[in-house]
């Protein structure tokens, strides 16, 4: 009986280890499209100013700090806004790629300015989404929500 318990323990442990193992090429599958190249990578997207988003109100300016990189050449960065839960998302800015490499973060950086709509009635959430577009047309997006009170 003790041998049987030991065999079950070893089998269960092996099964758990195999379940946790990720495919060795999973990163490649997530970041490469065969025949088209590499997807861009968004390292981070954050509100750079104002320092506290808790005081934002309609009509206030917001600056986003986007950190990104790509193995393939980048074409542009797009900024989309969705001012409210039921509002449609619209393209508000397109910025051609300009290299701005940081040796500290090992990414390109871009500051994007957006003015919150003056006509939105708090409480509301404005979703800002950036999209990095490579010359091979592969894209990667990231979003931040700004809550107006």
């Amino acid at each position: 009986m003790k041998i049987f318990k030991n065999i079950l323990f070893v089998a269960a442990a092996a099964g758990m280890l195999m379940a946790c193992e990720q495919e060795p090429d999973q990163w490649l599958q997530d970041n490469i499209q065969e025949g088209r190249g590499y997807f861009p990578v968004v390292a981070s997207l954050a509100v750079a100013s104002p320092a506290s988003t808790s005081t934002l109100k309609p009509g206030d300016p917001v600056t986003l700090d986007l950190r990104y990189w790509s193995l393939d050449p980048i074409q542009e960065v797009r900024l989309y806004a969705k001012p409210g839960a039921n509002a449609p998302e619209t393209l508000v800015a397109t910025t051609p790629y300009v290299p701005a490499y940081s040796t500290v973060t090992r990414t390109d950086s871009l500051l994007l300015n957006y003015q919150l709509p003056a006509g939105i009635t708090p409480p509301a959430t404005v979703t800002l989404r950036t999209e990095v577009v490579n010359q091979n047309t592969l894209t990667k997006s990231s979003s931040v929500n700004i809550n107006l009170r």
Side-chain angles (χ1 to χ4, degrees):
M1 186 67 164
K2 187 174 184 175
I3 293 174
F4 181 70
K5 285 183 183 179
N6 287 341
I7 291 173
L8 283 176
F9 175 75
V10 169
M16 287 174 36
L17 289 174
M18 289 161 70
C20 294
E21 184 177 317
Q22 189 178 23
E23 290 287 324
D25 63 346
Q26 187 63 46
W27 186 90
L28 292 174
Q29 291 174 8
D30 291 344
N31 292 288
I32 296 176
Q33 192 170 65
E34 192 171 328
R36 290 188 52 203
Y38 295 90
F39 283 89
V41 176
V42 175
S44 67
L45 176 64
V47 176
S49 87
S52 172
T53 59
S54 64
T55 60
L56 285 172
K57 54 192 178 308
D60 284 351
V62 174
T63 301
L64 299 177
D65 182 5
L66 174 65
R67 303 296 171 115
Y68 61 102
W69 61 273
S70 179
L71 293 175
D72 286 344
I74 297 170
Q75 176 180 319
E76 63 190 11
V77 175
R78 299 175 185 156
L79 176 63
Y80 295 88
K82 183 178 178 184
N86 298 323
E89 181 181 71
T90 58
L91 176 66
V92 294
T94 300
T95 306
Y97 174 67
V98 176
Y101 185 75
S102 166
T103 56
V104 174
T105 62
R106 297 175 60 181
T107 62
D108 278 306
S109 63
L110 178 63
L111 295 176
L112 297 161
N113 296 309
Y114 177 74
Q115 182 131 4
L116 295 169
I120 194 167
T121 305
T125 299
V126 176
T127 301
L128 298 175
R129 181 174 67 90
T130 59
E131 181 178 55
V132 179
V133 182
N134 275 357
Q135 289 179 3
N136 60 16
T137 69
L138 298 177
T139 65
K140 189 63 82 173
S141 295
S142 186
S143 300
V144 294
N145 290 327
I146 298 172
N147 297 315
L148 301 177
R149 294 179 184 9

